[in-house]
Amino acid sequence: SELDMVAELCQREDVAMVSDEIWSDWCVFGHKHRPLASMASQPVITFMAPTKTWNLAGLHCSFVVIQDKPLRERYLAQVDYAYLHYGGTFATEAMLAAYEQGKAWLLGAQSYVESQLVYCEAVLSERCAPEVQPLRPQATYLMWLDCTGMGMDDPAAFFLDAGVLLSP
């Protein structure tokens, strides 16, 4: 897989692996999240948070997972003086509530998003195929569109002229 290739490259080049897995709760259509640390043969620093899934970004309740003890001790030595390894009480309670009591809400939200993605696929299939092909996501609510079938040198310009805002 792509992650295996990245892990092998980082190990060969002696590069630290940092994995942002903040969206890991948002797998859809039966896909399962595979933490990079479970595949890598070297230490991984993993960033996680309930902030994307339960919209808690303003509470600053993200956390770091470092399974490798020497690496974790080096990290803690850098953040200990400022108490950066402790979360605020309100943020910690919100995070615990989300992970312990938020599963039913998350499953409902994922079901709704899946239905909207299927709806988008149907509309695009009916109105835009074969020139525009939707790429069903494995996670999150974002859908990529393959516009190569439009035969244009610059499909982005076409969408901008049509009033569609794009982000790089």
Side-chain angles (χ1 to χ4, degrees), residues 25-27 54 102-114:
D25 299 312
W26 259 106
C27 291
W54 287 280
K103 185 166 186 157
W105 177 88
L106 176 58
L107 293 174
Q110 288 170 323
S111 177
Y112 177 78
V113 166
E114 288 172 352

Side-chain angles (χ1 to χ4, degrees), residues 54-114:
W54 287 280
N55 196 24
L56 301 176
L59 297 181
H60 304 284
C61 54
S62 58
F63 55 95
V64 178
V65 178
I66 306 173
Q67 293 176 315
D68 181 74
K69 187 175 180 180
L71 184 58
R72 183 174 56 249
E73 289 173 352
R74 282 180 44 209
Y75 168 80
L76 289 173
Q78 293 297 312
V79 299
D80 187 53
Y81 76 96
Y83 299 98
L84 295 175
H85 56 299
Y86 292 105
T89 302
F90 187 67
T92 301
E93 288 298 317
M95 179 170 50
L96 290 171
Y99 283 124
E100 292 175 354
Q101 300 170 25
K103 185 166 186 157
W105 177 88
L106 176 58
L107 293 174
Q110 288 170 323
S111 177
Y112 177 78
V113 166
E114 288 172 352

